[in-house]
Amino acid sequence: MYSRIAGTGSYLPAQILTNADLEKIVDTTDEWIRTRTGIERRHVVAEGETTTDLAEQASRNAMEAAGVSPQDIDLICVGTTTPDLVFPNVGTLLQDRLGIRGCPAFSLEAACASFLYALSVADKFVRLGESKCALVIGADTLTRIIDWKDRATCVLFADGAGAVILKPCADPGIISTHLHADGRYKDLLQYPDGVSRGFKLVRAGKAGVLMKGNEVYKIAVNTLGHLVTETLAANGFNKDQLDWLIPHQANLRIIEAIAKRLDLPMERVIVTIKDQGNTSAASVPLALDTGVRDGRVKRGQLLLLEAFGGGFTWGSALIRY
Ligand code: COA
């Protein structure tokens, strides 16, 4: 038994922040942001808008695409690092929004790799016969935890949500998923406050994402390079069999480096970073949905999804769409 993607959906908040807008907030330029990252604009949540709001819209779009109703859903698995509340978890809040009761609903956090982690977990529920219709989401509102005075990070991150519906299938579907983590690197990319630390930095107005961008960059390129090789080799596939690379959208230069590693022309990579920035857990399912809806990603094609995030955490999925 395998799982297959029966439908995809996504959602971006209405409010757009351009590089020109950022020039008015921090000492930066449109030219610097574009050439170093590939980002030109990004979507940002409005006052009062939450991760669950974004996740709900993405979920409804995915359910519509899959031709299922909320009552069909028997598992909700959300990857997010920016929940509305400490508890109940985003999965549970979403379950209530969708008007369904009783099915397992949870969220897990693995920074920008959260969607790949969620997909891998839900895939196992489906393969074991414990779910017949799983709703899997990557959603984040990273702009809520950015230090808007830190030009090294505030130009990168953005908000959004993406979702997929998984159903059982005799043939793959999801061929394999590969998850990894290495907590040694916790200081290179982190939000240095939280519940059991008493939110001391938050209370003092000193909290914000901290990143050693240069070091993260080098490790991300190296690690993702190994990851894509591992993913293809585990299944006996060659690089030239791949139809689409659907990467995490952190930096266009990182994406280009991974495409080069796979000998893939950029025409076979789904790139959304220009208009969306780094939406953390949402970036991979947003890119997938973009490719599906504009007709580039077709049924039967071979897709490689990958993501890398704080921790470090990283993960991939090889999928026959
Ligand atoms: N605008 C203008 N200048 C900026 C800037 C900004 N927004 N941010 C940093 N700079 C400056 C730095 O202060 C530095 O100036 P200096 O040379 O006078 O010291 C210079 O630009 C170069 O900084 P550096 O950090 O070396 O740039 P870079 O080429 O490595 O690009 C990132 C920075 C963040 C774009 C890049 O390192 C990156 O993408 N890293 C990976 C980040 C990532 O993937 N994070 C998420 C993982 S999920």
Side-chain angles (χ1 to χ4, degrees):
M1 177 98 81
Y2 292 94
S3 69
R4 69 175 180 94
I5 296 178
T8 66
S10 60
Y11 183 75
L12 291 163
Q15 187 175 202
I16 293 174
L17 196 66
T18 64
N19 290 350
D21 295 328
L22 283 165
E23 285 178 350
K24 294 175 201 140
I25 301 173
V26 284
D27 179 17
T28 191
T29 60
D30 169 53
E31 207 258 336
W32 192 96
I33 303 170
R34 266 190 298 109
T35 54
R36 300 287 177 128
T37 71
I39 303 169
E40 294 185 11
R41 61 190 68 80
R42 71 286 287 145
H43 291 249
V44 175
V45 277
E47 185 66 34
E49 201 171 21
T50 68
T51 296
T52 303
D53 293 328
L54 309 185
E56 181 187 353
Q57 296 304 324
S59 301
R60 291 193 185 279
N61 292 339
M63 286 188 289
E64 193 185 350
V68 302
S69 72
Q71 279 63 39
D72 297 317
I73 303 295
D74 59 12
L75 173 76
I76 300 176
C77 182
V78 186
T80 186
T81 308
T82 47
D84 303 29
L85 307 170
V86 173
F87 66 85
N89 70 69
V90 173
T92 316
L93 299 176
L94 180 61
Q95 190 202 49
D96 184 45
R97 292 279 187 90
L98 298 177
I100 50 179
R101 309 267 172 264
C103 73
F106 58 95
S107 30
L108 55 81
E109 36 152 336
C112 294
S114 295
F115 174 75
L116 267 306
Y117 269 68
L119 188 71
S120 181
V121 170
D123 175 52
K124 286 162 184 65
F125 272 82
V126 175
R127 292 180 79 152
L128 287 169
E130 292 190 18
S131 168
K132 300 263 178 294
C133 190
L135 171 59
V136 188
I137 297 143
D140 263 319
T141 48
L142 249 283
T143 66
R144 293 278 190 235
I145 57 167
I146 290 299
D147 175 358
W148 287 98
K149 294 188 285 304
D150 178 13
R151 69 177 182 172
T153 53
C154 76
V155 302
L156 304 175
F157 294 102
D159 305 323
V164 301
I165 301 292
L166 293 187
K167 285 190 157 189
C169 194
D171 305 307
I174 296 182
I175 299 166
S176 68
T177 59
H178 304 260
L179 303 181
H180 298 282
D182 191 338
R184 229 181 339 175
Y185 297 110
K186 61 185 179 300
D187 297 333
L188 297 186
L189 178 55
Q190 63 169 228
Y191 181 80
D193 206 358
V195 180
S196 63
R197 289 206 177 168
F199 285 124
K200 288 197 181 107
L201 292 174
V202 173
R203 285 179 219 273
K206 289 182 180 161
V209 171
L210 299 177
M211 184 176 72
K212 294 189 177 136
N214 227 305
E215 289 169 65
V216 175
Y217 184 93
K218 284 183 218 141
I219 299 171
V221 169
N222 194 29
T223 306
L224 288 171
H226 287 299
L227 180 65
V228 294
T229 307
E230 171 197 339
T231 308
L232 290 172
N235 299 288
F237 280 102
N238 297 319
K239 296 189 262 198
D240 55 11
Q241 291 174 278
L242 209 54
D243 290 298
W244 292 103
L245 173 66
I246 303 186
H248 176 45
Q249 313 279 322
N251 185 313
L252 184 58
R253 290 182 293 148
I254 298 178
I255 296 172
E256 286 169 345
I258 305 310
K260 199 167 167 206
R261 175 90 170 227
L262 288 165
D263 295 326
L264 266 188
M266 286 305 284
E267 292 72 41
R268 280 171 47 207
V269 183
I270 305 288
V271 179
T272 56
I273 190 166
K274 177 166 152 280
D275 298 318
Q276 297 180 5
N278 180 349
T279 56
S280 186
S283 102
V284 171
L286 264 163
L288 172 63
D289 189 48
T290 300
V292 167
R293 281 177 195 262
D294 67 21
R296 279 178 291 171
V297 174
K298 297 183 178 57
R299 287 288 173 196
Q301 289 185 326
L302 190 66
L303 320 179
L304 202 168
L305 281 51
E306 48 87 340
F308 181 88
F312 291 132
T313 52
W314 61 102
S316 65
L318 191 67
I319 298 173
R320 181 68 68 189
Y321 179 63

